[in-house]
Amino acid sequence: MKFSSKLFYWYQKNKRDLPWRETKDPYKIWISEVILQQTRVNQGLPYYIKFLEKYPSLNELSLAKEKEVLLLWQGLGYYKRAINLLESAKKIAKTNNGVFPNTFKEILKIKGVGDYTASAVSSICFDEKEVAVDGNVFRFISRLFGIKRDITLKSTFVFFKKKLKLLIENSNPGDFNQALMEFGALQCLPNKPLCHSCIFKLECKAYLMNDIKSYPQKKVKKFKKERFFNYIVVSSNKKLLFRKRVGNDIWKNLYEFPLIEGKCSNLSQIVNKKEFNVLTNKMKKPPRFLQVVNVNHLLTHQILKIKFWIFNSEGCLDNTLSINEIIDLPKPAVIYDFINKHLKS
């Protein structure tokens, strides 16, 4: 039995029942693929359902406000994805009458869309013979054929695309791509692949050579950058200072407490910071320190060592918000968790 037929047979028996597999609407497939970037299916599924309940079509998304979209995205991370979705929906609605592009090359022009997403959408929705190569596919195919190439290199990506295009043969390209990804996600697992029940074990080079752990080949990861965030949590009359994050750093356009970045070990270092004095110089009295809460927050390429310095201030402060107002603003998950644990009564 040829590769594609064998894979498709496995897929029909083992595929998960997922809502984006019940449609060929390019808008819905686009949303699912963007949500599932850097996100596990069980984490992304509730977000997909909520997103489509609120914005069931591209035109409805195009009318949304950024703050609303980011709030819906809260906790999912990689917030730039949500910003790109909204910007792209507005552009498609304006320049293409809300009609989603129907070719790989045109889909690839959408902001935030790379080869993988464009391949997935064009193959599933428009039957284009494009292959979607993600981490699951790299792992499965490199083991099966014993391909020892560094998957971080562009040349390796091109090599895999060419090889997989030959393997599609006359199969439905959308089903072929979903079967590939599903096989990597359910069978050819990263650490404990289910080799003994694998339909390809008698052909798999890595299995036959007892060398599963060597695949896929990848350059050693760089050390994560370590950053120190000091959030100044000042409460006055049950209201708090809270502001929008600007610039092109992480969490762009989300909301947070006033931030002082840099290593600060004790209270005296904080209160002597210029930023702290600017923040508190209009207060009638110096704010009263209550406590500090330490949190480590891991991102893909960064480790954030966060301290929430909690103060109480007498009198009224400008630009403050109530807890209820803050809850309605999009914010990083680490701030959302801190508020729920330490500030909500």
Side-chain angles (χ1 to χ4, degrees):
M1 187 183 293
K2 64 184 182 180
F3 173 81
S4 57
S5 300
K6 200 169 182 179
L7 179 65
F8 186 68
Y9 177 75
W10 176 92
Y11 178 64
Q12 290 298 98
K13 289 181 63 179
N14 295 281
K15 66 179 179 179
R16 288 169 289 183
D17 183 18
L18 299 169
W20 48 83
R21 290 186 176 148
E22 298 170 1
T23 180
K24 288 206 170 187
D25 181 341
Y27 168 72
K28 293 178 180 178
I29 300 298
W30 175 47
I31 298 300
S32 73
E33 293 298 337
V34 173
I35 285 176
L36 293 176
Q37 290 169 11
Q38 305 291 328
T39 302
R40 297 185 304 275
V41 167
N42 59 353
Q43 183 190 5
L45 179 57
Y47 283 90
Y48 173 82
I49 293 169
K50 284 191 298 181
F51 200 94
L52 287 182
E53 283 176 352
K54 191 166 180 68
Y55 307 116
S57 71
L58 187 145
N59 283 323
E60 284 170 285
L61 176 58
S62 73
L63 300 173
K65 294 180 180 178
E66 184 183 271
K67 187 170 72 173
E68 298 169 345
V69 175
L70 286 172
L71 187 61
L72 197 61
W73 205 267
Q74 185 172 277
L76 193 55
Y78 301 95
Y79 293 92
K80 185 66 176 174
R81 294 180 294 174
I83 295 171
N84 286 338
L85 275 175
L86 180 57
E87 289 181 5
S88 299
K90 290 180 181 297
K91 184 176 181 180
I92 294 169
K94 184 177 180 180
T95 62
N96 206 35
N97 294 319
V99 178
F100 199 90
N102 62 3
T103 67
F104 170 80
K105 288 183 178 179
E106 290 302 313
I107 295 168
L108 196 57
K109 294 176 184 177
I110 297 173
K111 190 172 183 179
V113 167
D115 189 289
Y116 168 79
T117 300
S119 296
V121 176
S122 65
S123 65
I124 293 168
C125 303
F126 306 113
D127 293 324
E128 280 201 87
K129 202 171 183 179
E130 294 291 340
V131 288
V133 181
D134 69 349
N136 286 322
V137 175
F138 270 131
R139 185 173 60 254
F140 168 35
I141 298 302
S142 65
R143 285 173 175 170
L144 181 62
F145 293 101
I147 302 169
K148 290 194 172 182
R149 289 177 175 238
D150 182 356
I151 64 170
T152 65
L153 300 177
K154 176 69 176 177
S155 58
T156 301
F157 177 78
V158 172
F159 175 85
F160 272 75
K161 288 272 288 187
K162 288 180 178 178
K163 187 167 189 65
L164 286 164
K165 280 193 175 183
L166 294 174
L167 292 173
I168 287 181
E169 297 180 269
N170 295 320
S171 304
N172 178 307
D175 285 344
F176 180 83
N177 279 325
Q178 293 190 84
L180 273 177
M181 292 182 278
E182 194 77 333
F183 197 89
L186 300 182
Q187 186 80 33
C188 197
L189 302 170
N191 298 318
K192 294 182 179 180
L194 308 179
C195 295
H196 294 294
S197 62
C198 178
I199 58 172
F200 294 106
K201 68 180 181 182
L202 298 181
E203 307 158 48
C204 178
K205 297 286 180 63
Y207 177 74
L208 294 173
M209 296 294 291
N210 194 26
D211 194 24
I212 297 293
K213 292 183 179 180
S214 295
Y215 301 90
Q217 302 234 317
K218 191 175 183 180
K219 280 194 302 188
V220 178
K221 289 182 179 179
K222 294 180 180 179
F223 288 107
K224 290 190 176 186
K225 180 180 178 181
E226 195 172 65
R227 297 174 71 181
F228 299 88
F229 281 17
N230 297 280
Y231 281 118
I232 311 304
V233 185
V234 183
S235 175
S236 175
N237 295 327
K238 296 185 178 181
K239 290 197 170 187
L240 298 131
L241 292 169
F242 212 62
R243 56 182 60 163
K244 190 174 185 178
R245 189 172 173 85
V246 295
N248 288 318
D249 199 0
I250 58 171
W251 302 334
K252 180 182 177 182
N253 294 352
L254 300 187
Y255 289 76
E256 64 183 0
F257 300 106
L259 172 65
I260 299 173
E261 185 166 356
K263 198 169 185 177
C264 291
S265 304
N266 54 55
L267 180 61
S268 64
Q269 288 179 321
I270 281 292
V271 299
N272 286 311
K273 287 282 187 181
K274 180 182 177 181
E275 301 99 312
F276 186 86
N277 291 321
V278 170
L279 191 68
T280 60
N281 63 8
K282 292 184 180 180
M283 297 179 184
K284 293 179 181 178
K285 295 180 181 178
R288 181 168 60 91
F289 174 67
L290 300 178
Q291 66 170 316
V292 61
V293 175
N294 294 280
V295 178
N296 284 342
H297 189 66
L298 302 180
L299 301 176
T300 305
H301 302 295
Q302 300 181 33
I303 299 172
L304 304 183
K305 293 187 175 293
I306 300 173
K307 292 179 184 287
F308 292 93
W309 301 87
I310 306 174
F311 296 84
N312 186 57
S313 172
E314 294 181 7
C316 297
L317 299 176
D318 294 330
N319 303 315
T320 55
L321 298 172
S322 69
I323 287 291
N324 286 337
E325 289 173 313
I326 288 173
I327 287 170
D328 289 336
L329 292 172
K331 49 205 164 289
V334 67
I335 291 179
Y336 174 84
D337 292 341
F338 167 78
I339 290 170
N340 277 343
K341 189 172 181 180
H342 296 281
L343 298 183
K344 285 180 73 175
S345 55

